[in-house]
């Protein structure tokens, strides 16, 4: 089977790495891909916003299955465009992807279906939003309705900060139309976990639980990033896992069927485990990044088989097996990220990491045979271990072998595996 994978991040390198191991794969194409995916298949330079061009490429190259990685491609309806052309794909439809692409939709959906989440209200008028913020206790969490490159959530500690944020989102349009509606939400305290489930519209299968480390600094300090490292499985009780399945995942699938927009693909709720129980922080309608860089190391089953079962509504027949090990992925970033940083530095030591380690590439570029830095999050160093301590130790031992100018990474990924 010829497969086309859409995307160019560390997530896509990890997906490509796993898809390439499938005996069912004839040839893997990645659009546009990165230096890492280029070692596993053929990178093709198509503008992924151009659905016509993707459909044409798929037809010209006998592609039987398309895997859509990025949130914006899903929100733009790439799965729908492929379906119209009778090409099977992995991922939710544009309407189902609203769980991620509209926070207002997601919050209303959770209210309609009794799914536990933080109390919130949605506003379309700046003055109304400001009046609400002034009469509610701080901190308040302010979220742009639409996709905003991971920058659309602000935890406002003061009314001045709340006003500044609302003005920036709703009046100055810092994120274009994405911020015209905002959700204002109560601040939740607790421990955050990443939950993923394969979904075929009716049936869901949960992955082991993961933890992302979203802030740039140790101890979860500083600015939010796309994710500075992930660990899995987080140690959580069977009772809590069952609670997540029965109060979040299953009601979402059932609710989406009731609303006529069944969810297929990966459902990824960010969840806060609070003293009062679990609460959904947000839904993503795709694989997490860097979570996927950890997950693909643990997945023992054939990813292509599982994805096809999701797309064909046959997940109940799928036997999904996870390795009984631990994994720790440390992101190596360009100094300055998530703000201004420089690129173009030579990366050395990529071949010097041990056998239990895989280095996934995100922001890299090839210049001849030399790999250069080309983004904020450059590499993900992902190591397995028989225990959580061993996985962490192996990951940091491997990190020591890799270097580039102004390399930055957090030293505390994997210090806390609990909830
Ligand atoms: P989101 O993009 O909605 O996941 O938000 C980004 C990050 O903001 C989350 O990973 C949380 O760390 C934090 N966050 C979002 N909503 C809340 C909330 N209601 N209370 C506390 N922290 C939150
Ligand atoms: N790691 C969080 C995300 O992919 O949204």
């Amino acid at each position: 089977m010829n497969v086309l994978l859409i995307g160019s991040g560390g997530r896509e390198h990890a997906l490509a790495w796993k898809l390439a191991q499938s005996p069912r794969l004839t040839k893997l194409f990645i659009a546009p891909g990165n230096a890492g995916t280029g070692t596993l298949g053929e990178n093709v330079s198509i503008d992924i916003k151009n659905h016509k061009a993707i459909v044409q490429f798929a037809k010209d190259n006998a592609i039987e299955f398309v895997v859509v990685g990025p949130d914006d491609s899903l929100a733009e309806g790439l799965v729908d465009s492929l379906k119209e052309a009778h090409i099977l794909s992995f991922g939710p439809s544009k309407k189902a992807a609203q769980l991620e692409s509209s926070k207002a939709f997601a919050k209303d959906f959770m209210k309609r279906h009794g799914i536990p989440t933080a109390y919130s209200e949605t506003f379309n008028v700046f003055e109304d939003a400001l009046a609400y913020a002034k009469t509610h206790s701080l901190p308040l969490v302010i979220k742009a309705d639409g996709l905003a490159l991971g920058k659309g959530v602000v935890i406002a500690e003061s009314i001045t900060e709340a006003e500044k944020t609302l003005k920036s989102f709703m009046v100055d349009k810092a994120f274009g139309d994405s911020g015209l509606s905002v959700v204002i939400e109560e601040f939740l305290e607790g421990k955050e976990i990443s939950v993923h489930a394969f979904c075929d519209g009716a049936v869901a299968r949960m992955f082991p639980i993961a933890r992302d480390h979203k802030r740039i600094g140790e101890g979860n300090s500083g600015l939010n990033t796309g994710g500075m490292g992930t660990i899995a499985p987080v140690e959580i009780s069977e009772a809590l896992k069952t609670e997540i399945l029965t109060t979040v995942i299953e009601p979402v699938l059932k609710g989406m069927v009731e609303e006529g927009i069944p969810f297929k693909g990966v459902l990824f709720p960010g969840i806060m485990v609070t003293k009062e129980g679990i609460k959904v922080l947000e839904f993503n309608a795709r694989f997490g990044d860097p979570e996927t860089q950890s997950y693909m190391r643990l997945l023992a089953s054939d990813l292509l088989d599982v994805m096809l079962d999701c797309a064909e509504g046959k997940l109940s027949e799928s036997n999904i097996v996870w390795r009984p090990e631990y994994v720790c992925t440390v992101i190596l970033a360009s100094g300055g990220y998530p703000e201004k940083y420089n690129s173009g530095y030579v990366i050395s030591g990529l071949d010097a990491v041990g056998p239990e380690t895989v280095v996934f590439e995100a922001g890299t570029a090839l210049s001849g045979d030399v790999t250069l830095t080309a983004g904020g999050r450059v590499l993900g160093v992902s190591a397995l271990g028989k225990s959580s301590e061993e996985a962490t130790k192996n990951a940091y031992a491997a990190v020591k072998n890799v270097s580039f100018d102004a390399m930055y990474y957090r030293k505390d990924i994997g210090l806390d595996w609990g909830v």
Side-chain angles (χ1 to χ4, degrees):
M1 176 176 271
N2 289 337
V3 176
L4 171 63
L5 170 64
I6 306 292
S8 61
R11 167 182 51 213
E12 283 73 25
H13 188 187
L15 292 175
W17 178 81
K18 190 67 192 165
L19 286 170
Q21 295 168 26
S22 172
R24 289 174 79 175
L25 184 80
T26 309
K27 181 159 183 189
L28 181 64
F29 296 89
I30 311 95
N34 64 27
T37 63
T39 64
L40 298 161
E42 185 179 330
N43 286 342
V44 285
S45 75
I46 317 179
D47 171 11
I48 60 170
K49 288 188 174 301
N50 184 343
H51 294 186
K52 267 197 185 141
I54 292 177
V55 166
Q56 195 56 50
F57 179 85
K59 287 186 171 161
D60 293 346
N61 292 277
I63 303 287
E64 287 172 77
F65 192 48
V66 179
V67 176
V68 183
D71 51 1
D72 39 3
S73 296
L74 296 165
E76 286 158 9
L78 180 53
V79 166
D80 308 66
S81 303
L82 291 162
K83 192 175 176 192
E84 272 166 39
H86 307 289
I87 299 165
L88 191 65
S89 63
F90 180 86
S93 66
K94 178 176 179 153
K95 279 196 174 153
Q98 284 179 103
L99 279 177
E100 174 166 11
S101 65
S102 169
K103 293 202 190 280
F105 174 88
K107 295 299 292 195
D108 288 347
F109 178 87
M110 286 190 272
K111 276 182 200 162
R112 285 198 293 280
H113 297 282
I115 295 165
T117 186
Y119 182 80
S120 74
E121 300 225 3
T122 300
F123 298 92
N124 302 307
V125 176
F126 167 70
E127 287 75 16
D128 295 350
L130 184 59
Y132 179 89
K134 281 184 173 162
T135 52
H136 286 76
S137 54
L138 297 162
L140 281 171
V141 185
I142 301 176
K143 303 185 171 185
D145 174 50
L147 299 178
L149 301 166
K151 294 178 184 162
V153 176
V154 171
I155 296 168
E157 307 277 353
S158 68
I159 192 66
T160 317
E161 196 183 357
E163 181 165 1
K164 201 179 106 202
T165 304
L166 291 170
K167 185 165 173 295
S168 143
F169 286 6
M170 302 182 86
V171 182
D172 303 337
K173 296 196 193 179
F175 301 115
D177 290 351
S178 279
L180 290 181
S181 283
V182 297
V183 168
I184 304 185
E185 183 167 287
E186 66 173 319
F187 178 77
L188 296 176
E189 269 177 273
K191 292 189 105 175
E192 211 174 322
I193 51 175
S194 293
V195 174
H196 285 58
F198 284 116
C199 302
D200 75 352
V203 173
R205 292 289 180 78
M206 267 166 65
F207 298 23
I209 308 293
R211 167 161 293 132
D212 186 12
H213 298 69
K214 289 191 179 166
R215 303 292 192 97
I216 188 71
E218 273 105 35
N220 293 327
S221 59
L223 293 173
N224 240 328
T225 72
M228 293 303 294
T230 47
I231 52 172
V234 166
E235 284 149 10
I236 133 175
S237 68
E238 284 304 315
L240 200 51
K241 257 193 239 172
T242 305
E243 188 183 337
I244 293 168
L245 185 66
T246 56
T247 66
V248 179
I249 304 291
E250 288 174 351
V252 170
L253 283 207
K254 192 162 161 279
M256 294 297 272
V257 168
E258 280 166 19
E259 300 196 11
I261 42 173
F263 189 94
K264 290 185 174 193
V266 167
L267 179 67
F268 159 19
I271 288 183
M272 192 73 94
V273 182
T274 75
K275 284 205 189 84
E276 292 82 46
I278 55 166
K279 301 212 173 170
V280 173
L281 291 171
E282 61 158 354
F283 286 116
N284 301 291
R286 53 168 174 86
F287 285 95
D289 194 3
E291 283 87 343
T292 304
Q293 300 180 45
S294 282
Y295 278 140
M296 291 305 110
R297 303 295 315 284
L298 288 186
L299 182 64
S301 301
D302 182 333
L303 177 64
L304 185 52
D305 275 344
V306 180
M307 287 180 154
L308 284 163
D309 285 343
C310 288
E312 290 168 343
K314 295 194 306 200
L315 200 53
S316 58
E317 295 168 24
S318 223
N319 180 26
I320 306 176
V321 181
W322 299 92
R323 297 167 69 132
E325 279 170 279
Y326 293 78
V327 58
C328 174
T329 302
V330 178
I331 298 299
L332 307 185
S334 298
Y337 171 80
E339 299 186 288
K340 209 171 158 316
Y341 57 83
N342 293 321
S343 289
Y345 298 123
V346 174
I347 303 172
S348 61
L350 282 174
D351 300 330
V353 294
E356 65 293 292
T357 307
V358 176
V359 182
F360 294 116
E361 301 189 24
T364 61
L366 269 183
S367 170
D369 287 343
V370 183
T371 308
L372 304 176
T373 66
R377 290 187 295 168
V378 177
L379 304 167
V381 177
S382 175
L384 293 175
K386 292 201 168 37
S387 64
S388 52
E389 294 78 17
E390 193 180 281
T392 309
K393 203 174 98 227
N394 288 343
Y396 279 106
V399 163
K400 289 221 158 46
N401 296 321
V402 182
S403 69
F404 53 85
D405 278 1
M407 181 171 107
Y408 170 80
Y409 60 92
R410 267 178 70 165
K411 316 284 186 300
D412 64 347
I413 309 299
L415 289 192
D416 180 6
W417 295 71
V419 286

